[in-house]
Structures are given as C-alpha cells and as structure tokens.
C-alpha cells in the first residue's frame, strides 16, 4: 500500500505504524466519567468500507496522518496531517 | 449412515454406490426455538452441543456462504492449550480434552493428531516466562515440559540454533497439542448436528434482526424472515458487521491474517514449531505441505487477502529459523478476517437485547477453541448460565477493568 503523504508524496505503508480508528483523536473530557472512557478505550465502529484511521510515519518525518481507506479493498482514498485535522485546518 | 472400517470395505467392494451426502439441504422453516447465525466451526459445534448435549430441539444454523468457507477452512489447524491466565487456561484445556474424544463422539475422522507444539525461547527471561506458563498449564490439568537446548536439538536438529540475534536456548513443549483437519472439523460437526435434527441452511445471509420491546423475535435473511426464540451469533471476522445490525458496537477490530503452504515434501517437521520472536510458526500437513504463517497484517481489514510486506516478513522469519525452507516452493497463500478483541481474549455472553447472544473475539486462535466454544455457547443458550470455564468471557469485562490480556499489551488489537 502507498500512502499519499501530504508533504512527502506517496510513501510505502511499511514506513508507518498503525494505531487505529481516527476517532481516538476525540478524547473525552477528563470529567466525562468512567463509562465514557471505557467506551473511548475499548469500543470500535470497525466498519466494513470507508475507515478514517491513524498512521504514524515512524521511519519518515514522524508525523501522524489521518488516512482514509476502504477496509474491504485496501484502497487508500486520501491522507491528511492529523495535526491539521485536529485544528480544523484545510489539507 | 455410520462410518466404520467395515463400511469402507463394503463400499470398496460394491463400487462406492452407498455413500450419501453428509447433511440435508432443508428449506428454512418459519420459526425455530434457537437460530445460530454463522456456519463456521463455532456455530456448527454450538448447534451440535445444543442438540446432543443439552437436549434442545428446533435449531437452525444460518450460513451466508458454504460450510467451511470462513476461517474454519482458512486456519493453520493448530490445537493447543498452552495459555497462562486463570480465565483462559481451564477453557482451552477443556477444549483440548474435547478434541481428544470428538472424533468418536461425532463418528467422523477429523484427523486430530497430537503431534505436539514447541514454543522456542532465546533468553533467560523468556525461559523464566515459559517456566511460569508451563506451571500454570500444569495447575489447570494440562501437560507441559520445559526443554533445554539439547532437548530441542533432539526433536528438531534442522533448526538454526546459533542465529546471532535469536539463538535457540530451549522451548516449552506441550505434547498433547497438535493439528486437526480444519474443514473436516466443520463437516464432522455439521453431519452430527444434522443427524440430530438441526437444519443447516447455506446461502442464507442474515441481513437484520427483528427486535421488539428490547427482545429479539427473529432474523431477516436473504431467504426471508425466520422467527426465533433465541438467536446466537457466531460469525467470527464478521462480528462487527453483524452486531451493528442489532445496534451494538463491540470491543473488536477486524484484521487480516495470512497463511502459506509449500509443495508436498517428505516428513521433516515432527510437530508444530513456533518462533514467536521472529513472527513465524510452522507445521507439516499429512499431505506433506509445510503449513506456516506469522503475524497479522496490522490494519483494519475485511478483505480476505493481505499485502506483500507480511509475506516478506514471514519468509524472513522462516529462513532465520530453518534455512532449509529456502529450498521449498510456495504452493498457495491466502488470508482470513480475524475478530481481534481489545484484550486478545474471546467473548461468550448474552447481550442487552433479550434472547440475543454473542460469541466472538477469537483473534487468530479460535480453531483450537472450536469444541469448547460450541459447548460453552450451547450451555449459555440452553441454561441461561455461563459454563464454568467460560464465565470470564463477558462483554462488560472491559468496562469493569477485568480484561484478560495474555500478552499485557493493552487495547491495541494489532499487538495481540
Ligand atoms: C490464516 C489463519 C490462520 C489461523 N490459524 C489458527 C490456528 O492455527 N489455530 C487456531 O486455533 N486458530 C487459528 N485461526 C483462527 C480460527 O480460524 C478462527 O478463530 C475460527 O475459525 C473462528 O471461528 P469460526 O470457525 O466459527 O469462523 P468462520 O469459519 O469464519 O465462521 C463464521 C461464519 O459466519 C458466516 N457469516 C458471516 N456473516 C454472516 C451473516 N450475515 N449471515 C450468515 N452467516 C454469516 C461466514 O460466512 C462464516 O462462514 C486462524 C485463522 C486464519 C485466518
């Protein structure tokens, strides 16, 4: 799989490590209570189809990306810097 | 039709005209007492034990494809009970004991072969961990032996003992572990369940649940609505997809695991050998093919195929462990979708929806669990209480902080 890195262009997925669903960026409020944190840590949507997920460019520029990928075909539909996604910036 | 040596001879002498299909192909009825979703090993074993062990009747197994098309026909056939944690080991040892009697119980040759499994260790720390795990196994009534380097050498002289990074220092051996013919296991349970009146309905995909006032009333399928008193879901890699139709999210991610088979060779490998440090394990089938694999690819996937980096990783691990592997040609490779749970351990439990039960989260190790998973899921469905060896496999264990994490890596499925 080739990941279209927004700064570096297409990079081999082997340069990255995989964390999981990009929803992990939405950490609950510290006061949200145990149930909210149990849900955040353990429950997953696990969709068959389009999935937004976190990849870390460990053997590269060490940036976190939000990659959009189809879990039924492995087709990669796009990638953005996680930092920009979090801050609501374009790209 | 009973299988026996006499029957084989008789058929050989009369032109093999007396063999019959192993199970019927019935039309679905409008209502069953118990509907099992998923005709893999676990669904079929559950139906068998419901009928044979717990005296239940009016049972159907609904399978979207054909029997043996899922992970039951894709795994590398290893059976073992070499776990450590007290919530796991008694369950897997119960399963091991069921393997030892299942062929007689089912009157079916599933080619269960107790040829042993050897886990290799490379450091003092790893040997200590193996000693501890072996003791935990002994406490649960399983068998375990710690081998030193000479012991391993006597069993498998062809291994690369002096690898610079991972020299082999010894191993943990379970002699009663081994392999079984995976699709034969599905066929054996299917035939025995069918003989006890279970309707096995293939090409019947469940597309939704009918839930009224918090209770399940039946399932919508590609062959129409089928009413049910209770519904048990055992769909392995499809767990997320199917339970979503009941409005549930699960502590599970789906991942792809690949496996490989070489051309047929003369017997070279005595049992199952695992090289965990190098992400490689291998056994030899009765046909002679070397059956081997490694880690999951590591990203969410519902595609029943993986990518080349893992192929390279497995091949490298294999070459590091047994250089003679380089002479063998690869015949086939394939992938299956794993229901990776958040602690690496399975779930056999009721849900918040009355009458709806869930079995899943088997990760890459559910084949060995097939007999006990079927027994324990049937126990829960029939009696309403969990079986004593599966009492910890609850859905709410994550929220309660009672995770069963053999590897101790946390809620990160691609590390289990
Ligand atoms: C490459 C590989 C190697 C493995 N090696 C081992 C090993 O050595 N030892 C070991 O213990 N385990 C191993 N496993 C794991 C083991 O195969 C699985 O954990 C186990 O088979 C899962 O249970 P099952 O047999 O019921 O699954 P499956 O056979 O996958 O059964 C699930 C069934 O549900 C059906 N289904 C899905 N959705 C629906 C629907 N909507 N309606 C109706 N039916 C549906 C599917 O078609 C499928 O037939 C391996 C797995 C793989 C892929």
């Amino acid at each position: 799989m080739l990941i279209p890195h927004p700064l570096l262009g297409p990079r081999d997925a082997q340069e990255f490590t995989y964390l999981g669903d990009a929803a992990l960026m939405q950490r609950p409020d510290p006061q949200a209570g145990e149930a909210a944190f149990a849900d955040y840590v353990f429950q997953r949507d696990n969709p068959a189809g389009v999935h937004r997920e976190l990849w870390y460019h460990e053997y590269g520029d060490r940036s976190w990306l939000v990659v959009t990928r189809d879990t039924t075909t492995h087709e990669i539909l796009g990638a953005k810097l996680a930092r920009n996604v979090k801050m609501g910036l374009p790209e | 039709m009973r299988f026996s040596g006499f029957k084989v001879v008789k058929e050989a002498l009369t032109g093999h005209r007396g063999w019959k299909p192993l199970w019927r192909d019935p039309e679905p009825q409008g209502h069953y007492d118990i509907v099992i979703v998923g005709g893999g090993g676990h669904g079929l074993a559950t139906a068998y034990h419901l009928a044979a062990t717990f005296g239940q009747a009016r049972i159907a197994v609904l399978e979207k494809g054909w029997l043996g098309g899922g992970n039951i026909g894709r795994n590398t056939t290893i059976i073992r009970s070499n776990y450590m944690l007290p919530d796991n080991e008694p369950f897997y040892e119960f399963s091991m004991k069921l393997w030892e009697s299942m062929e007689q119980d089912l009157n079916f040759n599933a080619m269960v072969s107790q040829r042993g499994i050897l886990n290799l260790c490379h450091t003092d720390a790893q040997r200590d961990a193996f000693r501890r795990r072996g003791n935990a196994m002994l406490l649960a009534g399983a068998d375990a032996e710690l081998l030193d380097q000479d012991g391993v050498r006597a069993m498998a002289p062809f291994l690369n003992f002096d690898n610079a990074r991972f020299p082999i220092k010894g191993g943990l051996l379970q002699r009663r572990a081994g392999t079984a013919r995976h699709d034969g296991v599905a066929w054996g349970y299917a035939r025995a369940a069918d003989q006890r009146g279970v309707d096995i309905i293939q090409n019947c995909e469940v597309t939704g649940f009918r839930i009224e006032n918090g209770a399940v009333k039946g399932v919508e399928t590609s062959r129409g609505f089928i009413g049910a008193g209770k519904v048990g879901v055992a769909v392995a890699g499809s767990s997320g997809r199917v339970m979503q139709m009941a409005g549930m999210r699960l502590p599970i991610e789906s991942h792809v695991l690949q496996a490989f088979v070489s051309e047929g060779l003369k017997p070279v490998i005595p049992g199952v050998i695992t090289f965990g440090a190098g992400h490689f394990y291998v056994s030899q089938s009765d046909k002679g093919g070397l059956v081997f694999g490694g880690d999951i690819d590591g990203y969410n996937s519902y595609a029943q195929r993986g990518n080349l980096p893992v192929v390279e990783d497995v091949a490298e691990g294999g070459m590091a462990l047994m250089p003679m592997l380089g002479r063998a040609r690869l015949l086939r490779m394939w992938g299956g979708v794993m229901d990776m749970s958040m602690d690496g351990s399975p779930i056999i439990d009721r849900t918040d929806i009355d009458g709806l039960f869930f079995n899943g989260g088997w990760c890459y190790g559910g084949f060995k669990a097939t007999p006990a998973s079927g027994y324990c899921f049937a126990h829960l469905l029939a009696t309403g209480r969990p079986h004593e060896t599966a009492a910890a496999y609850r859905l709410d264990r994550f929220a309660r902080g009672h995770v069963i994490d053999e590897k101790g890596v946390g809620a990160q499925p691609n590390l289990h």
Side-chain angles (χ1 to χ4, degrees):
Chain A
M1 290 190 292
L2 284 179
I3 294 180
H5 193 297
L7 304 176
L8 304 174
R11 306 300 312 178
D12 190 332
Q14 267 191 287
E15 295 174 4
F16 293 77
T17 53
Y18 178 80
L19 184 69
D21 194 323
L24 289 169
M25 287 198 301
Q26 280 120 48
R27 196 185 293 261
D29 182 273
Q31 306 303 321
E34 270 183 27
F37 272 95
D39 194 74
Y40 168 77
V41 174
F42 295 114
Q43 301 289 104
R44 297 287 183 271
D45 286 341
N46 193 23
V50 174
H51 191 222
R52 291 175 67 249
E53 52 201 26
L54 289 165
W55 293 74
Y56 176 57
H57 201 192
E58 185 164 22
Y59 300 106
D61 71 347
R62 307 246 171 137
S63 59
W64 282 93
L65 301 187
V66 174
V67 175
T68 308
R69 196 177 54 94
D70 188 328
T71 59
T72 61
T73 61
H74 298 163
E75 185 188 358
I76 293 180
L77 306 166
K80 292 180 174 168
L81 290 173
R83 183 172 176 277
N84 288 0
V85 173
K86 183 84 183 174
M87 291 165 62
L89 299 173
E91 183 56 357
Chain B
M1 181 178 69
R2 261 195 86 73
F3 291 123
S4 64
F6 173 73
K7 175 86 176 154
V8 172
V9 173
K10 184 174 162 232
E11 287 299 327
L13 296 175
T14 55
H16 291 290
R17 282 187 292 269
W19 301 117
K20 297 196 192 68
L22 293 188
W23 53 83
R24 297 164 297 133
D25 186 20
E27 281 299 312
Q29 296 173 27
H31 189 276
Y32 292 92
D33 288 354
I34 305 178
V35 162
I36 304 296
V37 185
H42 292 209
L44 293 166
T46 303
Y48 165 76
H49 280 295
L50 278 170
T53 311
F54 296 99
Q56 304 292 305
R58 303 189 44 75
I59 304 161
V61 177
L62 310 183
E63 165 55 48
K64 80 171 172 193
W66 70 95
L67 299 192
N71 287 344
I72 187 68
R74 290 169 187 267
N75 61 68
T76 40
T77 80
I78 300 164
I79 61 177
R80 57 186 171 92
S81 60
N82 56 0
Y83 286 69
M84 188 180 81
L85 297 180
D87 289 332
N88 271 335
E89 182 57 12
F91 171 84
Y92 286 103
E93 177 53 21
F94 178 48
S95 203
M96 202 61 235
K97 292 208 168 70
L98 289 173
W99 281 112
E100 287 169 335
S101 64
M102 64 99 77
E103 293 175 295
Q104 295 302 323
D105 296 342
L106 302 181
N107 176 233
F108 198 87
N109 180 6
M111 295 167 67
V112 176
S113 165
Q114 293 180 290
R115 53 185 71 183
I117 187 166
L118 176 64
N119 309 133
L120 299 172
C121 67
H122 317 278
T123 62
D124 289 349
Q126 224 184 348
R127 184 170 38 220
D128 289 348
F130 276 8
R131 189 188 300 277
R132 183 176 174 211
R133 178 146 61 94
N135 285 337
M137 291 162 64
L138 294 175
L139 285 174
D143 63 307
E145 286 167 50
L146 200 62
L147 300 187
D148 59 9
Q149 194 191 52
D150 287 342
V152 175
R153 213 182 275 275
M155 273 187 76
F158 50 81
L159 297 178
N160 180 3
F161 285 83
D162 304 318
N163 182 302
R165 177 68 182 84
F166 294 117
I168 296 170
K169 298 290 188 194
L172 183 65
L173 175 67
Q174 184 181 26
R175 289 191 196 273
R176 284 165 59 246
T179 56
R181 178 169 180 188
H182 50 196
D183 34 19
V185 173
W187 301 333
Y189 277 119
R191 169 173 168 275
D194 176 84
Q195 283 175 344
R196 286 161 182 80
V198 173
D199 280 0
I200 296 168
I201 301 162
Q202 300 179 71
N203 300 312
C204 181
E205 178 170 1
V206 170
T207 54
F209 295 93
R210 191 174 287 180
I211 296 164
E212 290 168 10
N213 302 324
V216 70
K217 298 290 172 202
V219 289
E220 309 288 349
T221 79
S222 53
R223 294 172 71 169
F225 174 75
I226 299 174
K230 292 174 190 163
V231 176
V233 176
V235 294
S238 301
S239 293
R241 262 174 163 171
V242 171
M243 295 313 280
Q244 190 190 24
M245 299 191 281
M248 283 179 64
R249 291 167 82 221
L250 296 173
I252 286 177
E253 280 177 10
S254 294
H255 284 255
V256 59
L257 177 67
Q258 306 189 57
F260 309 83
V261 163
S262 79
E263 61 190 328
L265 303 168
K266 288 185 178 172
V268 281
I269 303 203
V272 182
I273 300 175
T274 77
F275 175 36
H279 313 165
F280 177 81
Y281 65 94
V282 64
S283 67
Q284 189 168 20
S285 78
D286 290 348
K287 262 197 292 187
L290 302 182
V291 182
F292 56 96
D295 277 351
I296 57 176
D297 272 41
Y299 42 80
N300 285 47
S301 173
Y302 282 91
Q304 285 175 316
R305 60 189 160 75
N307 273 303
L308 291 172
V310 167
V311 180
E312 189 177 14
D313 187 55
V314 170
E316 282 172 0
M319 286 300 291
L321 181 68
M322 30 187 290
M324 69 176 180
L325 196 71
R327 295 283 181 156
R329 274 169 299 195
L330 197 63
L331 204 60
R332 281 182 288 128
M333 52 191 261
W334 64 91
V337 181
M338 323 274 48
D339 35 341
M340 300 298 297
S341 70
M342 287 291 156
D343 59 359
S345 294
I347 295 155
I348 301 178
D349 202 2
R350 57 178 69 248
T351 68
D352 289 339
I353 298 160
D354 244 7
L356 181 62
F357 296 77
F358 176 72
N359 172 320
W362 293 99
C363 304
Y364 44 78
F367 178 63
K368 71 177 91 71
T370 304
S373 166
Y375 192 105
C376 295
F377 200 31
H379 187 286
L380 178 65
L381 282 159
T383 68
R385 284 175 289 108
H387 186 262
E388 56 185 9
T389 63
Y393 294 157
R394 291 169 53 162
L395 262 170
D396 67 358
R397 70 171 182 264
F398 301 93
R400 288 187 298 114
H402 195 80
V403 292
I404 312 168
D405 191 342
E406 288 275 341
K407 277 200 184 168
V409 295
Q412 189 60 43
N414 61 357
L415 298 182
H416 283 296

